Amino acid sequence: MSYGRTAIFAAVSCNRFIRQFKNALPYVFGTATTIAYCYTHKPFNKHHATTLDSFKTDVSETYPDKPLESFMAEPITNKDLLQKNSYQARMEVFILKLQKQLCQSLEDYEIKQNNQVRFKVDRWTREEGGGGITCVMQDGDVFEKAGVNISVVHGKLPVQAIEQMRARGHQFVARNTSLDFFAAGISSVVHPRNPHVPTIHFNYRYFELVDVDGKIHWWYGGGTDMTPYYLNETDCKHFHLSLKETCDKYDNSYYSKFKKWCDDYFNINYRSNERRGIGGIFFDDLNQPDQESCFSFVKACANTVIPSYIPIVKKNYQQTYTTQEREWQLLRRGRYAEFNLVLDRGTKFGLQTPGARIESILMSLPPVAKWKYGWEFKDDSPEMKLMKVLKEPKEWV
Amino acid sequence: MSYGRTAIFAAVSCNRFIRQFKNALPYVFGTATTIAYCYTHKPFNKHHATTLDSFKTDVSETYPDKPLESFMAEPITNKDLLQKNSYQARMEVFILKLQKQLCQSLEDYEIKQNNQVRFKVDRWTREEGGGGITCVMQDGDVFEKAGVNISVVHGKLPVQAIEQMRARGHQFVARNTSLDFFAAGISSVVHPRNPHVPTIHFNYRYFELVDVDGKIHWWYGGGTDMTPYYLNETDCKHFHLSLKETCDKYDNSYYSKFKKWCDDYFNINYRSNERRGIGGIFFDDLNQPDQESCFSFVKACANTVIPSYIPIVKKNYQQTYTTQEREWQLLRRGRYAEFNLVLDRGTKFGLQTPGARIESILMSLPPVAKWKYGWEFKDDSPEMKLMKVLKEPKEWV
């Protein structure tokens, strides 16, 4: 199978950057090659109880002493460059480590069930520069499907893309010239088996563009959002509170602004404005007040994924559930597939990009989904309780 | 629940007409109302062996003596108009009868299994004129999900849509004026449970537009295509031969032209040009050599659905199948959902139409679908045998 393009565009489902590059990226990225090996990472043979139970993570961006123990596969960039203190290097090391940590956290649950299912690791590179690592675990007892992607890509941004950036309002972008760019990001979707455990999605990314005068322009973007099948208010509050606490450390206006942005984005408009889930945060073009703060904020958000979500998994994954509850989960997953295929700009863009690594783009799709004509639930049912919140997003904290 | 718009645009998944109306139909159709009753049609209590076993159907367009025995619900248009000999009336009566006959043919299989599952009938109307009848049967032993829709709508075509028609090349369409239109169509998707029985989709439609001089312009469009999960060459040949024989009665060039059109349309381009199924026929804008011939041809095509498909159901629905075969069917249904949500112009248009009857539009989605990251089958497996034909459409007759 021939793969190509960059998984950051598979990964970065909500990237405004994508919009401006629509129809341009084929020219940006050319043809790429998958190194389609199954990287055999060392199975995690102990339960990382300390990390998980304390609900704390500290994924730093320092290049590790033993990289192959800290990453799911060889880094994309060479070691010398990664050991430099650039924001590019720090972002790559950070997402490599976070990818490992998250895969570890998820595999850990399968290990506890004595299940042999593990992450499959596909590391791929592309001719024009950079590559990615796609990790997918399927058919777990706890996680029916979990994907954790990173990509680190660079190259020339063509004139067409530049013109689209100008249209978007980037005044520093000159006419009729291609520019160097760099993009690094992590993205993930986790579909648990138990309907009482929500699905989670997040992506965080860093972007650089060099203008004609050689000046580097940069910004960060990303978000985390949760899709429960049954509404557990305590869990929803824990999730949103985790995000808010992280946001508040940086700017008191962030949480409410980014929460609304998230609700607006993950909206299935043709289903009478039914949201995909209970939201979370979503932001783009972040380059204020300074780069260190922005990077620190993005790291903090990404580091909030595990403590905001894994406790909810831990609390609920052993709950019993009925056939009806499973059925409802599958119907809601139908909506998840609809959102990703019909509305998600990143997915749509990726599918329109000739030679894109489709398997990485569509790893976000649920393992199983159902559609039923005209389903009905009682007004006071747990299913309808969820629907009400999806139709009218709630303030959780 | 408030429903609206016209199911012909749910129904007519491949209608070029839709493209030209993109963004215009909200203005065309305004708000509509579902008469959301469950029309209790008389259960079919005998096996229609004669009709099915002879593989012949003769659905005429003559208004029946006992309409409620011949239709799934009250016609959309009133009886006086339907008894006139207009092409509008004849088309409506024809699709009403065909809807009943197909529902009957499908329900018949559930009856043979002593299954109580029957078609749910939703008849709806819209304020601006016309309405539709959506029939869906779910969770059958033989048919996991089957939808048969008709719609008959009329009203004013707004300036914006007219401009789009002009852009498409319709010289008779004047600038800056709205025009009267009429559209009637039938569409259906049948998802059988057994992986050895293919999925079928068809739609046939009639369109009229009145220009500023009061002259009526008309055309027909439609198609039938089949999506097997396992390739049975005899069945594929039977299906294509049935279509070819029908086409050949009208024009020797039709089959090859419309077969290619079908292969080109049902193409998942981002999956390395993987076709949705083994195709069939697909055409639009048919208005030559004369209206009686066109109508006769469309009727003949629509009347070919049952004899081209039901024998394949009959032959295969009792085959045993393995878990792996079921799994493969569900993976292929994932592709079906992808095509409908990402690529199908009718579906995309429908979803973009505010207030559209989403349940009618998305009745085409499979009852259950799966997505698996990086699945692999052996080169000489039956699964790969199908894949080869999907990648390179074959001449079956």
Side-chain angles (χ1 to χ4, degrees):
Chain A
M1 201 179 285
S2 101
Y3 285 138
R5 317 302 168 190
T6 161
I8 196 156
F9 297 99
V12 175
S13 61
C14 336
N15 197 338
R16 185 183 286 181
F17 173 74
I18 282 170
R19 269 174 288 157
Q20 89 220 1
F21 282 1
K22 207 161 173 176
N23 305 319
L25 273 170
Y27 307 96
V28 186
F29 293 120
T31 307
T33 318
T34 301
I35 302 178
Y37 65 57
C38 275
Y39 185 93
T40 315
H41 71 97
K42 213 180 258 178
F44 312 117
N45 47 17
K46 62 184 172 76
H47 178 208
H48 302 269
T50 319
T51 314
L52 299 184
D53 289 356
S54 63
F55 307 155
K56 280 178 193 166
T57 55
D58 179 25
V59 179
S60 73
E61 80 274 19
T62 317
Y63 193 81
D65 294 335
K66 298 178 179 176
L68 281 182
E69 288 184 12
S70 299
F71 308 146
M72 293 300 282
E74 294 276 354
I76 304 304
T77 307
N78 74 50
K79 189 182 165 182
D80 290 347
L81 279 172
L82 281 186
Q83 283 177 319
K84 288 191 177 164
N85 201 30
S86 71
Y87 282 106
Q88 292 187 0
R90 291 166 69 191
M91 184 68 175
E92 179 170 344
V93 173
F94 173 73
I95 58 178
L96 279 163
K97 283 187 179 174
L98 182 61
Q99 181 183 43
K100 173 84 167 194
Q101 195 181 22
L102 181 59
C103 289
Q104 211 162 2
S105 300
L106 300 173
E107 268 193 11
D108 217 43
Y109 277 85
E110 300 303 328
I111 292 166
K112 279 195 273 181
Q113 306 297 307
N114 291 318
N115 192 339
Q116 298 307 310
V117 163
R118 298 292 181 271
F119 272 95
K120 179 177 188 299
V121 183
D122 286 330
R123 182 185 182 279
W124 49 272
T125 55
R126 63 183 207 101
E127 279 175 20
E128 299 83 350
I133 303 168
T134 299
C135 300
V136 179
M137 178 166 72
Q138 298 178 109
D139 300 317
D141 283 348
V142 181
F143 300 106
E144 228 176 314
K145 191 172 175 187
V148 190
N149 289 339
I150 69 138
S151 64
V152 181
V153 294
H154 53 92
K156 283 276 181 195
L157 213 59
V159 172
Q160 195 187 342
I162 299 292
E163 285 305 308
Q164 290 178 21
M165 292 197 84
R166 284 178 59 81
R168 185 182 155 200
H170 276 287
Q171 296 304 322
F172 65 86
V173 181
R175 274 193 202 282
N176 299 321
T177 175
S178 64
L179 296 176
D180 288 320
F181 84 98
F182 169 90
I186 181 166
S187 95
S188 172
V189 176
V190 179
H191 291 287
R193 188 175 296 278
N194 192 311
H196 297 293
V197 185
T199 286
I200 191 120
H201 161 255
F202 75 90
N203 83 74
Y204 290 96
R205 56 196 180 264
Y206 171 54
F207 202 86
E208 270 185 20
L209 197 65
V210 187
D211 71 15
V212 283
D213 301 322
K215 191 185 166 204
I216 295 170
H217 299 260
W218 55 263
W219 58 89
Y220 294 84
T224 308
D225 69 285
M226 197 164 79
T227 306
Y229 303 95
Y230 285 93
L231 211 60
N232 180 312
E233 304 222 345
T234 311
D235 293 350
C236 296
K237 280 177 190 163
H238 162 77
F239 177 73
H240 272 275
L241 191 61
S242 305
L243 294 173
K244 185 174 187 297
E245 280 174 356
T246 299
C247 288
D248 287 352
K249 281 178 200 153
Y250 292 84
D251 189 317
N252 279 330
S253 73
Y254 276 1
Y255 173 75
S256 61
K257 204 163 91 185
F258 298 161
K259 194 256 185 200
K260 186 180 180 305
W261 201 338
C262 191
D263 286 334
D264 290 346
Y265 182 78
F266 293 102
N267 178 24
I268 309 179
N269 59 323
Y270 60 81
R271 294 277 193 189
S272 314
N273 293 315
E274 184 183 299
R275 269 65 180 184
R276 186 173 79 170
I278 60 145
I281 55 167
F282 181 73
F283 61 92
D284 206 351
D285 295 317
L286 192 75
N287 61 3
Q288 295 294 332
D290 58 71
Q291 187 154 12
E292 195 58 33
S293 305
C294 289
F295 181 41
S296 174
F297 174 64
V298 160
K299 279 193 296 174
C301 289
N303 280 334
T304 304
V305 170
I306 291 176
S308 67
Y309 178 62
I310 295 293
I312 296 173
V313 176
K314 189 182 178 194
K315 192 181 142 199
N316 298 301
Y317 81 101
Q318 289 174 311
Q319 273 199 54
T320 55
Y321 56 89
T322 64
T323 312
Q324 186 192 307
E325 287 166 344
R326 172 70 174 170
E327 183 79 4
W328 172 245
Q329 179 198 43
L330 299 184
L331 289 172
R332 294 304 314 163
R333 282 192 187 161
R335 295 285 209 272
Y336 206 94
E338 278 182 33
F339 180 86
N340 288 16
L341 293 172
V342 177
L343 297 168
D344 189 70
R345 288 189 289 260
T347 305
K348 280 161 80 171
F349 168 77
L351 299 184
Q352 284 161 13
T353 306
R357 190 172 198 268
I358 300 298
E359 286 295 290
S360 291
I361 295 167
L362 296 183
M363 67 100 206
S364 65
L365 290 172
V368 198
K370 283 195 171 191
W371 282 272
K372 196 178 175 76
Y373 175 81
W375 48 258
E376 281 169 16
F377 286 88
K378 282 184 192 160
D379 267 355
D380 57 350
S381 65
E383 290 77 14
M384 287 303 101
K385 193 178 153 197
L386 174 72
M387 287 304 292
K388 273 177 203 161
V389 171
L390 299 183
K391 295 269 180 184
E392 271 189 57
K394 191 170 161 175
E395 294 305 322
W396 292 100
V397 286
Chain B
M1 202 177 286
S2 100
Y3 285 133
R5 317 301 168 194
T6 162
I8 196 155
F9 299 99
V12 175
S13 61
C14 333
N15 198 339
R16 184 183 286 179
F17 173 73
I18 282 170
R19 270 174 287 157
Q20 90 221 359
F21 282 1
K22 208 161 173 175
N23 305 321
L25 273 171
Y27 307 96
V28 186
F29 293 120
T31 308
T33 316
T34 302
I35 302 179
Y37 65 57
C38 276
Y39 186 93
T40 315
H41 71 97
K42 213 180 259 179
F44 312 118
N45 46 17
K46 62 185 173 76
H47 178 208
H48 302 270
T50 320
T51 313
L52 299 183
D53 289 355
S54 64
F55 307 155
K56 279 178 193 162
T57 54
D58 179 27
V59 179
S60 74
E61 80 274 20
T62 317
Y63 194 81
D65 294 335
K66 297 178 179 175
L68 281 181
E69 286 184 12
S70 299
F71 307 147
M72 293 300 282
E74 293 275 353
I76 304 304
T77 306
N78 73 51
K79 189 182 163 184
D80 290 346
L81 279 172
L82 281 186
Q83 283 177 317
K84 288 191 178 164
N85 200 31
S86 71
Y87 283 105
Q88 292 186 359
R90 290 165 70 191
M91 184 69 175
E92 179 171 342
V93 173
F94 173 74
I95 59 179
L96 279 163
K97 283 187 180 175
L98 181 61
Q99 181 183 43
K100 173 83 168 196
Q101 194 182 22
L102 181 60
C103 290
Q104 210 161 2
S105 299
L106 300 172
E107 267 193 13
D108 217 42
Y109 278 84
E110 301 303 327
I111 292 166
K112 279 195 273 181
Q113 306 297 307
N114 291 317
N115 192 339
Q116 297 307 310
V117 163
R118 297 293 181 271
F119 273 95
K120 180 178 185 300
V121 183
D122 287 330
R123 182 184 181 278
W124 50 272
T125 54
R126 63 184 208 101
E127 278 175 21
E128 299 82 351
I133 302 167
T134 299
C135 301
V136 180
M137 179 167 70
Q138 298 178 111
D139 300 318
D141 283 349
V142 180
F143 301 106
E144 227 175 315
K145 192 172 175 187
V148 190
N149 289 338
I150 69 138
S151 64
V152 181
V153 294
H154 54 92
K156 283 277 180 193
L157 214 58
V159 172
Q160 194 186 343
I162 299 292
E163 285 306 307
Q164 289 178 21
M165 292 196 85
R166 284 178 59 83
R168 185 182 153 202
H170 277 288
Q171 296 303 323
F172 66 86
V173 182
R175 275 192 201 284
N176 298 321
T177 175
S178 64
L179 297 176
D180 287 321
F181 84 98
F182 169 90
I186 181 165
S187 95
S188 171
V189 177
V190 178
H191 292 287
R193 188 174 295 279
N194 191 311
H196 297 293
V197 185
T199 285
I200 192 122
H201 161 254
F202 75 90
N203 83 72
Y204 290 96
R205 56 197 179 264
Y206 171 55
F207 202 86
E208 270 185 20
L209 198 64
V210 186
D211 72 14
V212 283
D213 302 322
K215 191 188 166 202
I216 295 171
H217 299 260
W218 55 264
W219 58 90
Y220 294 84
T224 307
D225 69 284
M226 197 165 77
T227 306
Y229 303 95
Y230 286 94
L231 212 60
N232 180 313
E233 304 221 346
T234 312
D235 292 350
C236 296
K237 279 176 191 164
H238 162 77
F239 177 72
H240 272 275
L241 191 62
S242 306
L243 295 173
K244 184 173 187 297
E245 281 174 357
T246 298
C247 288
D248 287 352
K249 281 178 201 153
Y250 292 84
D251 189 318
N252 279 330
S253 74
Y254 277 179
Y255 173 74
S256 61
K257 203 164 92 186
F258 299 161
K259 194 257 185 201
K260 187 180 179 305
W261 200 339
C262 190
D263 286 334
D264 291 346
Y265 182 77
F266 293 102
N267 178 25
I268 309 179
N269 60 322
Y270 60 82
R271 294 277 192 189
S272 314
N273 293 315
E274 183 183 300
R275 268 64 180 187
R276 187 173 80 170
I278 60 145
I281 55 167
F282 180 74
F283 61 91
D284 206 351
D285 295 317
L286 192 75
N287 61 3
Q288 295 294 332
D290 57 72
Q291 186 154 13
E292 194 58 34
S293 305
C294 290
F295 181 41
S296 173
F297 174 64
V298 160
K299 278 192 296 174
C301 290
N303 280 334
T304 304
V305 170
I306 291 176
S308 68
Y309 178 62
I310 295 293
I312 297 172
V313 175
K314 189 183 176 192
K315 192 180 143 200
N316 298 300
Y317 82 101
Q318 288 173 310
Q319 273 198 53
T320 55
Y321 57 88
T322 65
T323 311
Q324 186 193 305
E325 286 166 344
R326 171 70 174 170
E327 183 79 5
W328 171 246
Q329 179 198 42
L330 299 184
L331 289 172
R332 293 304 314 164
R333 281 192 187 161
R335 296 285 210 273
Y336 206 94
E338 279 181 33
F339 180 86
N340 288 16
L341 293 172
V342 177
L343 297 168
D344 189 70
R345 289 190 289 262
T347 306
K348 280 162 80 171
F349 168 77
L351 298 184
Q352 284 161 13
T353 306
R357 191 173 197 266
I358 300 298
E359 286 295 288
S360 291
I361 295 167
L362 296 182
M363 67 99 205
S364 65
L365 290 172
V368 198
K370 283 195 171 190
W371 282 272
K372 196 178 176 76
Y373 176 81
W375 48 258
E376 282 170 17
F377 286 88
K378 282 183 192 162
D379 266 356
D380 57 351
S381 64
E383 289 79 12
M384 286 303 102
K385 192 179 154 199
L386 175 72
M387 287 304 292
K388 273 176 202 161
V389 171
L390 299 184
K391 296 270 180 185
E392 271 189 58
K394 192 172 160 174
E395 295 304 322
W396 293 99
V397 287

